[in-house]
Amino acid sequence: MTAAGPSEATLRLLERASGSLATQAVARMDDSLPWFRSMPADQRSWVTLVAQAGIASLVEWCRHPGRPPRLTGEVFGAAPRDLVRAVPLKQTVDLIKVTVEVVEDRLTQVVGPAEADVLRLAVLQYSREVAFATAHVYASYAENRGAWDARLEALVVDALVRGERSEELPGRTAALGWATTAPVLVLVGRTVPDVDDLHSTVRRAARSMRAEVLVGVHADQLVVVLGGLPDLGPVVERVAREFGPGPVVVGPAVDSLALAGDSAAVALAGLRAAVAWPGAPRPVTADELLAERALDGDPLARAALAERVAQPLEAAGSGVPDTVRAVLASGGNLEASARALFVHPNTVRYRLKRATELTGLSATDPRGAWTLQVALALSALDGGRSLWS
């Protein structure tokens, strides 16, 4: 300090009293800050260490007032980094305020009235320096945490896209704050050209609807994992607007993030096949692309068509598969189909209704007819017995 600053003898008295002052500061925090009382014991002990280190740093600053307080080394260095994560900036400001108030109130008892006023001015100046330094600490932490979270998020999304079932996945997602169990689904599409912060744009869109989200970019593909809501349909519609030109494909919902790799694999297969359906809605579900995926060589799509379409039609009997075939061959003309089958048109209608109930597809709808035709053709190639007999 200058000649008017606290004497060395005064600073030694303050230094010796730092432990007692820190204890009194923590006691006042306990009385005046309800959130502090609910903190775990280990975090409360860290605050005590930080308060004591802060008072010691005050003494050192009084000896060398031209040097800003080094909070990371001298003050926050007394506690683990977890304290910065556990205590928000606003609460840290409250802790500093209480500590400064206790020091100011006890100065007369510690150093006597003669030196108290001089030291009180030093405390005021020091608290201003601490405020700036604290803001810097939290800003640096936020920047570093943001960069770390971005790398961790990229690793998680990459693992899901590659279909990895790593034992580290739950821990990584927990570190990102992901707590959702079900449902979870994956959207894939193209990135938006010349957008620097696409991750943040997509994240804001999802979180504006209170959904949990992970975002990854692979080459020119944008991969988005969504969860946190029982009905993710509206979120899918909103987030799809943030993708680049071209199709946006939605994978099936799964029960947990650990299974999101399955949704991602199906969605990516749908994205590869979507070029065969230029008029596809946006977004489009991977299940709506079953026929295109099967033609593209996706074994999961081929198996799904057999299980959901070909096998139920075959098991229905009573002319249902023959009727579907006839309607497909006639281009959806029910009267022509009835003549070919030697039945009444109402019989054709009844059988088509039964086929729709079994498969969810209508032979008179262009899209449904296409999917039925592909399913039946693949079934015949796979050795189906009665469908084409």
Side-chain angles (χ1 to χ4, degrees), residues 83-142:
L83 184 62
V84 181
R85 184 184 299 115
V87 183
L89 176 59
K90 182 180 182 303
Q91 293 181 351
T92 299
V93 171
D94 290 339
L95 297 178
I96 293 173
K97 180 181 177 183
V98 170
T99 303
V100 170
E101 289 174 350
V102 168
V103 171
E104 289 180 332
D105 291 346
R106 300 293 188 272
L107 281 180
T108 302
Q109 301 173 17
V110 173
V111 300
E115 292 280 355
D117 289 340
V118 175
L119 193 54
R120 192 170 286 111
L121 178 60
V123 170
L124 179 62
Q125 294 173 331
Y126 174 77
S127 63
R128 182 189 63 184
E129 298 291 339
V130 167
F132 285 116
T134 301
H136 176 74
V137 167
Y138 273 82
S140 299
Y141 170 78

XYZ file of all heavy atoms in Angstrom, residues 83-142:
464
model
N -16.417 -26.827 -7.300
C -17.118 -25.754 -6.600
C -17.652 -24.726 -7.590
O -18.762 -24.210 -7.421
C -16.183 -25.069 -5.599
C -16.837 -23.986 -4.717
C -17.934 -24.589 -3.866
C -15.793 -23.296 -3.862
N -16.899 -24.427 -8.637
C -17.356 -23.469 -9.640
C -18.588 -24.012 -10.357
O -19.494 -23.275 -10.707
C -16.226 -23.164 -10.649
C -16.680 -22.150 -11.676
C -15.000 -22.648 -9.910
N -18.622 -25.347 -10.571
C -19.773 -25.963 -11.216
C -20.975 -26.015 -10.282
O -22.116 -25.861 -10.697
C -19.407 -27.381 -11.680
C -20.505 -28.077 -12.458
C -20.131 -29.507 -12.821
N -18.947 -29.551 -13.652
C -17.796 -30.100 -13.282
N -17.678 -30.656 -12.091
N -16.759 -30.112 -14.089
N -20.718 -26.203 -8.982
C -21.811 -26.400 -8.033
C -22.430 -25.083 -7.585
O -23.609 -25.033 -7.244
C -21.307 -27.171 -6.813
N -21.645 -24.005 -7.570
C -22.136 -22.720 -7.067
C -22.207 -21.729 -8.228
O -21.172 -21.343 -8.771
C -21.216 -22.165 -5.954
C -21.780 -20.867 -5.403
C -21.034 -23.191 -4.853
N -23.407 -21.298 -8.633
C -23.526 -20.331 -9.732
C -22.891 -18.994 -9.379
O -22.647 -18.686 -8.210
C -25.051 -20.184 -9.908
C -25.649 -21.380 -9.240
C -24.706 -21.752 -8.136
N -22.662 -18.182 -10.392
C -22.014 -16.886 -10.199
C -22.787 -16.008 -9.223
O -22.200 -15.373 -8.349
C -21.863 -16.179 -11.551
C -21.277 -14.761 -11.511
C -19.895 -14.765 -10.878
C -21.235 -14.165 -12.915
N -24.111 -15.958 -9.351
C -24.905 -15.110 -8.459
C -24.711 -15.508 -6.996
O -24.584 -14.652 -6.116
C -26.387 -15.196 -8.832
C -27.283 -14.306 -7.980
C -28.744 -14.433 -8.400
C -29.630 -13.506 -7.574
N -29.535 -13.741 -6.131
N -24.688 -16.802 -6.727
C -24.501 -17.261 -5.358
C -23.077 -16.979 -4.877
O -22.861 -16.668 -3.698
C -24.822 -18.751 -5.259
C -26.297 -19.055 -5.504
C -26.616 -20.523 -5.392
O -25.726 -21.375 -5.297
N -27.907 -20.858 -5.405
N -22.110 -17.068 -5.774
C -20.743 -16.740 -5.397
C -20.637 -15.268 -4.994
O -19.942 -14.920 -4.037
C -19.784 -17.043 -6.559
O -19.842 -18.431 -6.870
C -18.345 -16.674 -6.201
N -21.323 -14.406 -5.729
C -21.338 -12.986 -5.367
C -21.928 -12.806 -3.971
O -21.429 -12.011 -3.162
C -22.139 -12.182 -6.409
C -22.349 -10.746 -5.943
C -21.418 -12.194 -7.749
N -22.991 -13.552 -3.643
C -23.575 -13.480 -2.301
C -22.567 -13.916 -1.235
O -22.481 -13.304 -0.154
C -24.816 -14.374 -2.218
C -25.975 -13.829 -3.037
O -25.963 -12.619 -3.331
O -26.873 -14.615 -3.395
N -21.812 -14.976 -1.525
C -20.806 -15.461 -0.568
C -19.726 -14.405 -0.333
O -19.298 -14.171 0.809
C -20.179 -16.756 -1.077
C -21.104 -17.965 -1.237
C -20.339 -19.147 -1.807
C -21.730 -18.337 0.098
N -19.289 -13.767 -1.412
C -18.256 -12.734 -1.289
C -18.789 -11.554 -0.483
O -18.104 -10.998 0.387
C -17.788 -12.282 -2.689
C -17.047 -13.428 -3.392
C -16.888 -11.055 -2.587
C -16.707 -13.128 -4.835
N -20.049 -11.198 -0.767
C -20.655 -10.069 -0.057
C -20.708 -10.342 1.441
O -20.359 -9.467 2.263
C -22.068 -9.823 -0.600
C -22.791 -8.668 0.068
C -24.196 -8.496 -0.504
C -24.949 -7.386 0.221
N -26.335 -7.259 -0.277
N -21.131 -11.532 1.841
C -21.219 -11.871 3.260
C -19.831 -11.848 3.894
O -19.641 -11.333 5.006
C -21.881 -13.251 3.441
C -21.749 -13.726 4.894
C -23.349 -13.183 3.047
N -18.838 -12.411 3.195
C -17.473 -12.443 3.742
C -16.936 -11.037 3.962
O -16.338 -10.728 5.010
C -16.542 -13.226 2.788
O -17.067 -14.537 2.591
C -15.147 -13.323 3.364
N -17.167 -10.157 2.984
C -16.693 -8.773 3.109
C -17.393 -8.078 4.271
O -16.770 -7.344 5.061
C -16.926 -8.010 1.784
C -16.672 -6.510 1.979
C -16.021 -8.563 0.692
N -18.702 -8.320 4.404
C -19.443 -7.705 5.506
C -18.902 -8.156 6.861
O -18.750 -7.336 7.792
C -20.924 -8.061 5.398
C -21.636 -7.363 4.242
C -23.064 -7.856 4.083
O -23.424 -8.870 4.745
O -23.825 -7.239 3.303
N -18.584 -9.427 7.000
C -18.062 -9.938 8.269
C -16.706 -9.318 8.562
O -16.422 -8.895 9.700
C -17.971 -11.473 8.229
C -17.168 -11.999 9.417
C -19.370 -12.084 8.225
N -15.847 -9.247 7.549
C -14.521 -8.654 7.755
C -14.656 -7.194 8.189
O -13.992 -6.743 9.135
C -13.677 -8.769 6.472
C -12.375 -7.969 6.608
C -13.358 -10.230 6.175
N -15.526 -6.451 7.510
C -15.716 -5.040 7.868
C -16.257 -4.889 9.294
O -15.822 -4.014 10.052
C -16.680 -4.375 6.880
C -16.089 -4.169 5.498
C -17.082 -3.499 4.555
O -18.305 -3.669 4.759
O -16.635 -2.818 3.616
N -17.208 -5.763 9.667
C -17.809 -5.667 11.003
C -16.810 -6.001 12.113
O -16.917 -5.491 13.233
C -19.007 -6.617 11.114
C -20.178 -6.177 10.243
O -20.161 -5.026 9.768
O -21.090 -7.004 10.015
N -15.867 -6.886 11.830
C -14.951 -7.366 12.872
C -13.599 -6.646 12.875
O -12.731 -6.980 13.685
C -14.697 -8.876 12.697
C -15.949 -9.743 12.788
C -16.540 -9.723 14.197
N -17.622 -10.681 14.341
C -18.896 -10.426 14.070
N -19.233 -9.222 13.618
N -19.823 -11.354 14.230
N -13.412 -5.688 11.988
C -12.097 -5.045 11.880
C -11.675 -4.381 13.186
O -10.502 -4.474 13.604
C -12.117 -4.009 10.745
C -11.993 -4.564 9.330
C -12.032 -3.441 8.305
C -10.711 -5.381 9.167
N -12.605 -3.696 13.837
C -12.254 -3.004 15.076
C -11.773 -3.981 16.130
O -10.811 -3.702 16.866
C -13.472 -2.223 15.604
O -13.910 -1.300 14.604
C -13.107 -1.456 16.866
N -12.402 -5.154 16.212
C -11.998 -6.163 17.191
C -10.641 -6.765 16.847
O -9.879 -7.138 17.731
C -13.051 -7.275 17.243
C -14.451 -6.793 17.618
C -15.494 -7.894 17.481
O -15.137 -9.066 17.420
N -16.761 -7.490 17.442
N -10.337 -6.840 15.545
C -9.098 -7.504 15.120
C -7.896 -6.573 15.187
O -6.839 -6.932 15.714
C -9.266 -8.065 13.686
C -7.935 -8.603 13.163
C -10.326 -9.159 13.656
N -8.032 -5.354 14.666
C -6.858 -4.481 14.554
C -6.981 -3.214 15.398
O -6.035 -2.415 15.449
C -6.627 -4.084 13.083
C -6.406 -5.306 12.226
C -7.795 -3.247 12.539
N -8.126 -2.990 16.012
C -8.290 -1.782 16.824
C -8.853 -0.629 16.006
O -8.737 -0.599 14.780
N -9.466 0.333 16.679
C -10.125 1.447 15.973
C -9.175 2.303 15.154
O -9.557 2.857 14.133
C -10.751 2.264 17.093
C -10.521 1.528 18.370
C -9.573 0.411 18.117
N -7.936 2.436 15.579
C -7.013 3.335 14.885
C -6.746 2.893 13.458
O -6.631 3.725 12.557
C -5.701 3.422 15.663
N -6.618 1.609 13.255
C -6.291 1.086 11.926
C -7.528 0.607 11.170
O -7.447 0.302 9.990
C -5.311 -0.087 12.061
C -3.931 0.294 12.553
C -3.079 0.871 11.428
O -3.554 0.876 10.270
O -1.949 1.309 11.701
N -8.674 0.521 11.831
C -9.851 -0.088 11.216
C -10.318 0.692 9.991
O -10.651 0.100 8.958
C -10.974 -0.202 12.239
N -10.340 2.039 10.076
C -10.839 2.823 8.955
C -9.951 2.684 7.724
O -10.436 2.583 6.598
C -10.948 4.299 9.363
C -12.088 4.544 10.345
O -12.995 3.685 10.398
O -12.064 5.572 11.047
N -8.631 2.709 7.947
C -7.699 2.550 6.823
C -7.872 1.177 6.177
O -7.922 1.030 4.951
C -6.246 2.742 7.292
C -5.269 2.464 6.149
C -6.059 4.153 7.834
N -7.994 0.154 7.010
C -8.130 -1.204 6.488
C -9.501 -1.396 5.828
O -9.630 -2.125 4.842
C -7.937 -2.217 7.622
C -7.736 -3.681 7.193
C -6.594 -3.804 6.205
C -7.476 -4.556 8.412
N -10.507 -0.706 6.340
C -11.854 -0.822 5.744
C -11.841 -0.296 4.308
O -12.484 -0.858 3.427
C -12.860 -0.064 6.604
C -14.300 -0.351 6.251
C -15.271 0.216 7.276
N -15.276 -0.576 8.506
C -14.810 -0.164 9.676
N -14.264 1.038 9.782
N -14.874 -0.931 10.753
N -11.121 0.780 4.057
C -10.984 1.297 2.703
C -10.266 0.292 1.813
O -10.645 0.088 0.652
C -10.228 2.626 2.723
C -9.958 3.270 1.351
C -11.260 3.567 0.631
C -9.117 4.542 1.522
N -9.255 -0.364 2.363
C -8.538 -1.383 1.597
C -9.458 -2.550 1.246
O -9.405 -3.097 0.136
C -7.333 -1.882 2.395
N -10.320 -2.944 2.199
C -11.272 -4.035 1.939
C -12.225 -3.646 0.820
O -12.544 -4.465 -0.056
C -12.052 -4.380 3.227
C -13.207 -5.321 2.916
C -11.127 -4.994 4.260
N -12.691 -2.394 0.819
C -13.594 -1.925 -0.227
C -12.923 -2.002 -1.603
O -13.522 -2.472 -2.580
C -14.027 -0.501 0.079
C -14.978 0.157 -0.939
C -16.290 -0.613 -1.024
C -15.230 1.622 -0.572
N -11.679 -1.538 -1.678
C -10.966 -1.586 -2.951
C -10.702 -3.029 -3.383
O -10.829 -3.378 -4.559
C -9.645 -0.814 -2.821
C -9.832 0.680 -2.597
C -8.519 1.379 -2.293
O -7.594 0.778 -1.743
N -8.439 2.664 -2.639
N -10.358 -3.858 -2.408
C -10.069 -5.257 -2.713
C -11.329 -5.985 -3.210
O -11.266 -6.785 -4.138
C -9.529 -5.954 -1.461
C -9.328 -7.447 -1.618
C -8.243 -7.953 -2.312
C -10.228 -8.352 -1.047
C -8.056 -9.318 -2.446
C -10.049 -9.714 -1.168
C -8.960 -10.194 -1.869
O -8.776 -11.555 -2.003
N -12.490 -5.689 -2.604
C -13.727 -6.359 -3.015
C -14.069 -6.033 -4.461
O -14.617 -6.868 -5.191
C -14.878 -5.971 -2.091
O -15.149 -4.579 -2.174
N -13.738 -4.800 -4.894
C -13.955 -4.448 -6.294
C -13.068 -5.295 -7.208
O -13.517 -5.806 -8.230
C -13.654 -2.960 -6.506
C -13.901 -2.481 -7.929
C -13.372 -1.079 -8.127
N -11.917 -1.035 -7.948
C -11.190 0.085 -7.987
N -11.812 1.245 -8.145
N -9.893 0.034 -7.825
N -11.801 -5.451 -6.824
C -10.887 -6.288 -7.610
C -11.370 -7.735 -7.660
O -11.310 -8.401 -8.689
C -9.476 -6.221 -7.014
C -8.838 -4.845 -7.018
C -8.496 -4.386 -8.422
O -8.373 -5.240 -9.324
O -8.362 -3.161 -8.624
N -11.880 -8.215 -6.513
C -12.374 -9.588 -6.446
C -13.573 -9.778 -7.371
O -13.723 -10.813 -8.026
C -12.741 -9.974 -4.997
C -13.542 -11.261 -4.959
C -11.479 -10.138 -4.170
N -14.444 -8.771 -7.453
C -15.627 -8.867 -8.311
C -15.222 -9.063 -9.763
O -15.764 -9.934 -10.469
C -16.482 -7.609 -8.155
N -14.256 -8.270 -10.233
C -13.792 -8.425 -11.611
C -13.122 -9.780 -11.821
O -13.337 -10.448 -12.831
C -12.826 -7.292 -11.979
C -13.490 -5.970 -12.216
C -13.228 -4.894 -11.384
C -14.391 -5.794 -13.255
C -13.845 -3.658 -11.592
C -15.013 -4.572 -13.469
C -14.735 -3.502 -12.640
N -12.301 -10.177 -10.855
C -11.588 -11.447 -10.988
C -12.552 -12.634 -10.966
O -12.366 -13.621 -11.680
C -10.559 -11.580 -9.866
N -13.595 -12.529 -10.133
C -14.585 -13.605 -10.072
C -15.315 -13.751 -11.400
O -15.533 -14.866 -11.896
C -15.617 -13.332 -8.957
O -14.928 -13.229 -7.707
C -16.644 -14.445 -8.878
N -15.690 -12.622 -11.990
C -16.352 -12.669 -13.291
C -15.454 -13.329 -14.334
O -15.912 -14.109 -15.172
C -16.735 -11.262 -13.734
N -14.160 -13.028 -14.260
C -13.216 -13.630 -15.200
C -13.129 -15.143 -14.988
O -13.091 -15.916 -15.953
C -11.838 -12.985 -15.032
C -10.785 -13.604 -15.899
N -10.720 -13.391 -17.265
C -9.757 -14.450 -15.601
C -9.702 -14.076 -17.760
N -9.105 -14.716 -16.780
N -13.099 -15.581 -13.738
C -13.022 -17.009 -13.441
C -14.226 -17.748 -14.024
O -14.094 -18.780 -14.685
C -12.944 -17.251 -11.917
C -13.178 -18.723 -11.587
C -11.583 -16.804 -11.392
N -15.422 -17.196 -13.794
C -16.626 -17.865 -14.280
C -16.730 -17.813 -15.800
O -17.213 -18.752 -16.431
C -17.871 -17.268 -13.624
C -18.204 -17.914 -12.308
C -17.551 -17.523 -11.136
C -19.135 -18.940 -12.231
C -17.836 -18.134 -9.928
C -19.429 -19.549 -11.021
C -18.776 -19.142 -9.872
O -19.065 -19.761 -8.679
N -16.299 -16.703 -16.398
C -16.320 -16.617 -17.859
C -15.369 -17.640 -18.473
O -15.701 -18.314 -19.457
C -15.942 -15.210 -18.306
N -14.185 -17.782 -17.891
C -13.217 -18.768 -18.387
C -13.747 -20.180 -18.219
O -13.603 -21.031 -19.106
C -11.887 -18.611 -17.652
O -11.338 -17.342 -17.872
N -14.368 -20.414 -17.064
C -14.930 -21.745 -16.828
C -16.030 -22.060 -17.840
O -16.085 -23.156 -18.403
C -15.499 -21.835 -15.417
C -16.298 -23.088 -15.183
C -15.665 -24.311 -14.959
C -17.688 -23.062 -15.225
C -16.400 -25.464 -14.770
C -18.426 -24.214 -15.035
C -17.775 -25.410 -14.808
O -18.512 -26.553 -14.635
N -16.913 -21.065 -18.085
C -18.000 -21.289 -19.038
C -17.461 -21.553 -20.431
O -17.959 -22.423 -21.157
C -18.934 -20.076 -19.055
